[in-house]
Amino acid sequence: FSPQGLSTAAWAFATANHTAPSLLDAVAAQAVARHAELDARCLTATAWSLAVLDMGGNGERGTGGAARFARRFGGWLDSRAAELSHESLCQLHQWRLWRAEERRRSDGLPSAPLLAQAAAAFGATRTRQSEIQSSVGEALAALDTWPSRERLR
């Protein structure tokens, strides 16, 4: 695979919500070995994909490619911060949420200023409700139950 092909493969599996642990671990191992060839967009797309599929969280004490990628990603990204697009910053924020809050891991995170920039980009993004979100909202309204709004930290 080309560097972009690596991240595109991971992204495609994540978008389809198809977990293929051996394949994704191999893609992550290649991303670790070839990280200098990956631009910021490829790095964040790969990290986001691994987070969506919860790769690199279980068994991180091992030597799997996804675990190694997760531990090193932040350091690689700090040196490429100027390359980050709005979408990449949003993916970085989502990865950080998974890494720090879901996995309770603080190793591998980029610098605090870059994380703040990513959180600001994510918070400024206009979103649109999915059909399922609309259906759930309607059902809750019919029950006269109102969920609290999620707050970004």
Side-chain angles (χ1 to χ4, degrees):
F1 284 121
S2 69
Q4 183 175 351
L6 289 171
S7 66
T8 301
W11 177 87
F13 276 86
T15 301
N17 198 27
H18 182 76
T19 303
S22 296
L23 175 66
L24 291 165
D25 202 54
V27 166
Q30 279 296 301
V32 170
R34 299 171 59 191
H35 70 89
E37 299 173 48
L38 299 172
D39 63 19
R41 188 196 61 75
C42 290
L43 285 170
T44 55
T46 301
W48 176 85
S49 301
L50 295 172
V52 165
L53 297 171
D54 201 20
M55 294 281 304
N58 297 328
E60 279 196 305
R61 293 184 184 100
T63 58
R68 287 194 315 271
F69 182 90
R71 287 191 301 264
R72 296 177 181 158
F73 167 68
W76 298 329
L77 203 58
D78 277 329
S79 65
R80 295 172 175 89
E83 300 173 26
L84 290 169
S85 67
H86 180 82
E87 180 183 7
S88 292
L89 286 167
C90 290
Q91 288 178 327
L92 168 58
H93 181 70
Q94 291 169 319
W95 177 83
R96 191 222 40 101
L97 290 173
W98 168 79
R99 183 80 175 153
E101 296 182 14
E102 291 293 322
R103 295 288 128 217
R104 304 279 188 248
R105 303 288 302 222
S106 61
D107 57 327
L109 296 177
S111 66
L114 185 51
L115 291 175
Q117 185 181 357
F122 187 80
T125 301
R126 294 182 53 99
T127 59
R128 170 186 99 196
Q129 281 190 324
S130 68
E131 257 184 66
I132 188 98
Q133 288 170 318
S134 296
S135 296
V136 168
E138 291 168 8
L140 290 172
L143 296 170
D144 200 28
T145 302
W146 303 101
S148 60
R149 182 178 169 101
E150 182 179 15
R151 294 181 191 203
L152 295 174
R153 295 184 215 180

